[in-house]
Amino acid sequence: MKRLLLTCTDLMALQFLVPHVKFLSQNGFSVELACSDVGGRLDELRDELHGIAKVHTVRLVRSPFSPGNLNGYKDLKKLINSQHWDIIWTNEPVMGVMTRLAARKARRSGTNVIYMAHGFHFYKGAPKFNWLIYYPVEKFCSRFCDMIITINNEDYQRAKTFHAKRVEKINGIGVETAKYATSTVNSDKKRHELDIPIDAFFIVSVGELKDHKNHMIIIKALSKLKEDDVYFGICGKGELLDLLKNESEKLGLGDKVKFFGYRKDVPEILHSADLFAFPSKRDGLGLAAIEAMSAGLPLLTSKIRGVTDYVIDGVSGYSYFPDDAAGFANGIERYYYDSDMRERIGKHNSISVYDYDLDVIRQDLLRIMNSV
């Protein structure tokens, strides 16, 4: 049985990695985790993995500039050197850098170190600061791992220019497509609950109310439409709530833009919508858009790294540059007037999304882990 140490934050583990820990544990791996407490959910993680994987605490924070991260480095080094690991699988920028540095001695003793990049901070169109700071650090630290796993094509091509001997690409970290594929809730009933007219054209988006999620561009696009029965609902919470509400009121869209907050019924909401909008300024892949594909929705997205891997104009959706309000407005109108196109694209998405299914990704990761 191979011994594997997984390093990440508590939030990353709970949101994305727990299914993989369980699957690897069932398929020949003894897994332990080293996690930083950035979300206050370490106890929840330990309960979730009780009897499956031990969870160690390391004193890291997400800010790469915090001097307190030296304590986390010491924690990692002590844990890594206290016993033999066949594989160390690390995730996220700060944790990834600290783990690779702490594992240098272990690598000389035969441990394989795998770094999974869920979206480099440097990408086409990224701020110069990101390129000046994060790019040289990531390239330098790539010499301290045996493999880099990426989740989109742009990062994959860039990682191949780094120092790691091997670079792999997988389609994200996995989506439970079956969870979103069907809904037993009546669409009209759900719309009534959400205060969306039954006959309206309903656009939905899922994401935190933060600048990089770019919900504002859809609000601006709505203000350019001559159609008055288009509604936009956002599932998510965040610090831009008041700003987005004020802008909606200013543009005369107060009753057309709905803020649903954090929701546990996202699959039901998706099945009551006509179109899914994902206008993010940056993303590693765009998990929310893939979930919407699972629900059979056509996509209206920004033309950014990761998203362009699966959004093909006229096939799986339409995409525009993140600041192109007129373009997004045009995309909404194309969907509004062509229900046959919406149905065709939605059916295509419900099939093509299987490449991103959790079962597929679990098998991909198992293959990779066994290959080292």
Side-chain angles (χ1 to χ4, degrees), residues 60-188:
L60 287 175
V61 298
R62 275 182 165 166
S63 171
F65 308 109
S66 172
N69 284 329
L70 180 60
N71 293 322
Y73 169 76
K74 292 177 181 177
D75 294 339
L76 283 166
K77 192 171 183 178
K78 181 179 179 181
L79 174 61
I80 290 170
N81 293 335
S82 67
Q83 50 193 303
H84 174 73
W85 307 97
D86 294 294
I87 299 173
I88 297 175
W89 170 23
T90 186
N91 301 258
E92 301 175 273
V94 173
M95 181 66 80
V97 168
M98 293 301 182
T99 299
R100 282 176 284 177
L101 293 176
R104 286 173 293 173
K105 179 180 177 181
R107 284 186 71 218
R108 292 194 293 269
S109 299
T111 299
N112 286 275
V113 176
I114 299 173
Y115 172 51
M116 186 167 185
H118 298 262
F120 289 134
H121 284 308
F122 43 91
Y123 48 89
K124 293 177 183 177
K128 289 183 179 179
F129 175 86
N130 292 31
W131 283 98
L132 290 171
I133 301 299
Y134 295 108
Y135 174 76
V137 171
E138 286 287 9
K139 186 167 185 178
F140 176 77
C141 287
S142 67
R143 68 183 71 240
F144 302 125
C145 64
D146 301 281
M147 183 193 308
I148 297 175
I149 302 175
T150 63
I151 63 171
N152 62 65
N153 288 326
E154 183 181 324
D155 287 353
Y156 174 67
Q157 295 301 327
R158 184 156 291 115
K160 288 199 295 184
T161 69
F162 289 0
H163 303 290
K165 295 178 182 178
R166 181 176 167 190
V167 179
E168 291 270 353
K169 174 187 170 291
I170 62 175
N171 290 325
I173 205 64
V175 172
E176 294 182 73
T177 58
K179 175 182 176 181
Y180 297 89
T182 58
S183 173
T184 58
V185 174
N186 180 273
S187 175
D188 291 350

Side-chain angles (χ1 to χ4, degrees), residues 119-320:
F120 289 134
H121 284 308
F122 43 91
Y123 48 89
K124 293 177 183 177
K128 289 183 179 179
F129 175 86
N130 292 31
W131 283 98
L132 290 171
I133 301 299
Y134 295 108
Y135 174 76
V137 171
E138 286 287 9
K139 186 167 185 178
F140 176 77
C141 287
S142 67
R143 68 183 71 240
F144 302 125
C145 64
D146 301 281
M147 183 193 308
I148 297 175
I149 302 175
T150 63
I151 63 171
N152 62 65
N153 288 326
E154 183 181 324
D155 287 353
Y156 174 67
Q157 295 301 327
R158 184 156 291 115
K160 288 199 295 184
T161 69
F162 289 0
H163 303 290
K165 295 178 182 178
R166 181 176 167 190
V167 179
E168 291 270 353
K169 174 187 170 291
I170 62 175
N171 290 325
I173 205 64
V175 172
E176 294 182 73
T177 58
K179 175 182 176 181
Y180 297 89
T182 58
S183 173
T184 58
V185 174
N186 180 273
S187 175
D188 291 350
K189 182 179 179 181
K190 177 57 68 172
R191 285 197 176 202
H192 179 73
E193 175 192 325
L194 299 171
D195 193 27
I196 303 293
I198 292 174
D199 295 328
F201 186 80
F202 179 27
I203 306 168
V204 69
S205 182
V206 178
E208 295 176 293
L209 306 185
K210 294 187 175 182
D211 180 70
H212 74 276
K213 289 300 183 182
N214 203 28
H215 300 297
M216 185 69 80
I217 202 69
I218 301 299
I219 294 173
K220 290 180 178 179
L222 292 181
S223 71
K224 298 179 179 296
L225 302 178
K226 60 180 181 294
E227 297 78 13
D228 62 0
D229 60 342
V230 179
Y231 284 70
F232 178 41
I234 308 172
C235 301
K237 60 182 183 179
E239 66 266 19
L240 295 188
L241 176 61
D242 290 340
L243 178 66
L244 293 170
K245 281 186 174 180
N246 290 339
E247 186 67 16
S248 299
E249 294 288 346
K250 178 182 175 181
L251 295 174
L253 299 169
D255 63 333
K256 302 292 179 63
V257 180
K258 308 291 184 181
F259 298 91
F260 301 143
Y262 174 76
R263 305 290 300 211
K264 294 184 178 181
D265 58 346
V266 169
E268 298 170 8
I269 294 175
L270 293 176
H271 280 275
S272 71
D274 298 294
L275 175 64
F276 187 81
F278 189 79
S280 184
K281 295 178 181 179
R282 57 176 172 81
D283 220 289
L285 193 64
L287 184 64
I290 295 172
E291 292 169 348
M293 291 173 70
S294 305
L297 280 177
L299 300 179
L300 179 71
T301 72
S302 50
K303 193 174 294 186
I304 59 170
R305 170 201 61 176
V307 176
T308 54
D309 289 1
Y310 54 85
V311 176
I312 302 171
D313 279 355
V315 177
S316 46
Y318 287 97
S319 59
Y320 303 89

